[in-house]
Amino acid sequence: MANGQWYPPEWPDRIRALAAGSLAPVPPKRAATVMLLKDTGAGPAVHMLRRRASMAFAGGAYAYPGGGVDPRDDDHQVRWAGPTRAWWADRLGVDETTAQAIVCAAVRETYEEAGVLLAGETPDSVVGDTTGAGWEADRAALGARDLSFAEFLDRRGLVLRSDLLGAWTRWITPEFEARRYDTWFFVAALPEGQRTRNASTEADRTVWIAPGEAAAGYDRGELLMMPPTIATLRQLTAYGSAAEALAAAPARDLTPVLATARLVDGEILLSWPGHDEFTMHIPTAPTGGASA
């Protein structure tokens, strides 16, 4: 491939099946992912992880910490700082309980996969080092879903700092994909005193990297990424600090980006609205490949 766009080999057949009416789309699961930023002398860097090659979905691709929403996080009012649940519901385009669950997912997944926790003992504080044995036991229990994030916050007397997050964009996995997610992307700054680590069982490498450097690696075909990842990296290159990116978040358009596939001149045209670089032309009959 000319660049690092992740492209599963089964997509052409699934697209053809969807167009023929023999494939029923699966409902997307709600998810959240966080672009964690820290300032360096050369501008902001973003924390990325590389998914293990053995992963069924996007194996070998670079991504951000993230994962699915836990339904248990919408049935309990967690201690909350920052914009209200009503504000978040309006921002995310969902009801208040769902908004809480999505924000909880963003904070929980950042803790599970990067060891960074956007919460504090008071509405204006953030916990410090979270690398102790007790913290690690709780993190493991969260990852195993033995403990809900709401229960974790209650147990430790912590307040979720929703004001440390900025909603950035929203992407929905195409209808022809077997594993579908309705994902809200957030931006956040690394809290002072905390440090990242590879705490994910799904990743074999983590890195702090400038968004422009990561995008250049993708363009050279050296870093494999899904369209939402490279799209957001390109967007982040416009900001000179983590604070600038966070300040820009409230004005970002959260209209979902959903790929469409249609028949044009004897081939399937796969496109992502507003993102022409990902357009693909796929033969209507199986040929063993596709061109980007």
Side-chain angles (χ1 to χ4, degrees):
M1 64 179 65
N3 55 34
Q5 183 173 345
W6 178 72
Y7 181 64
E10 67 272 15
W11 268 14
D13 288 340
R14 294 187 64 85
I15 291 171
R16 285 188 286 268
L18 180 67
S22 59
L23 176 68
V26 298
K29 299 178 180 179
R30 291 190 174 104
T33 189
V34 177
M35 300 178 288
L36 189 64
L37 302 173
K38 73 173 181 180
D39 290 325
T40 72
V46 62
H47 181 71
M48 304 189 76
L49 53 85
R50 184 176 64 188
R51 294 172 59 83
R52 294 186 184 276
S54 59
M55 296 296 294
F57 184 79
Y62 280 79
Y64 312 114
V69 168
D70 186 343
R72 294 176 297 176
D73 289 332
D74 67 8
D75 61 4
H76 177 80
Q77 290 275 307
V78 303
R79 296 174 66 195
W80 189 275
T84 65
R85 292 171 180 81
W87 184 93
W88 278 107
D90 181 67
R91 180 74 180 112
L92 302 178
V94 296
D95 59 66
E96 290 188 32
T97 55
T98 302
Q100 173 179 289
I102 292 169
V103 172
C104 279
V107 177
R108 184 195 71 243
E109 290 291 335
T110 305
Y111 181 48
E112 282 185 25
E113 298 194 341
V116 171
L117 183 58
L118 304 177
E121 294 181 353
T122 63
D124 57 358
S125 68
V126 183
V127 298
D129 186 7
T130 62
T131 58
W135 288 106
E136 183 59 23
D138 280 349
R139 192 200 62 75
L142 286 168
R145 296 298 182 264
D146 294 332
L147 180 68
S148 76
F149 193 63
E151 292 168 338
F152 163 74
L153 293 174
D154 278 350
R155 174 186 296 181
R156 288 192 169 269
L158 296 175
V159 181
L160 184 149
R161 292 288 305 276
S162 79
D163 54 318
L164 299 182
L165 287 169
W168 192 262
T169 191
R170 179 182 177 185
W171 287 63
I172 301 177
T173 310
E175 292 183 334
F176 47 81
E177 172 57 49
R179 300 169 182 83
R180 299 191 65 211
Y181 300 94
D182 182 354
T183 305
W184 283 263
F185 286 68
F186 295 84
V187 65
L190 178 67
E192 185 176 353
Q194 294 194 38
R195 53 196 174 99
T196 57
R197 63 189 188 281
N198 184 5
S200 173
T201 59
E202 299 179 354
D204 60 11
R205 181 179 186 236
T206 62
V207 63
W208 282 102
I209 188 169
E213 181 182 347
Y218 168 90
D219 291 335
R220 292 190 299 268
E222 298 170 357
L223 302 182
L224 190 67
M225 299 179 199
M226 292 176 282
T229 308
I230 180 58
T232 48
L233 282 171
R234 296 202 196 285
Q235 293 158 1
L236 289 174
T237 60
Y239 303 97
S241 69
E244 285 184 17
L246 278 165
R252 296 274 312 166
D253 183 9
L254 293 187
T255 301
V257 178
L258 174 64
T260 60
R262 55 194 177 92
L263 187 64
V264 178
D265 297 330
E267 65 180 6
I268 297 171
L269 178 64
L270 175 60
S271 61
W272 280 258
H275 299 273
D276 292 343
E277 72 167 295
F278 307 129
T279 298
M280 291 182 174
H281 300 267
I282 301 172
T284 54
T287 63
S291 61

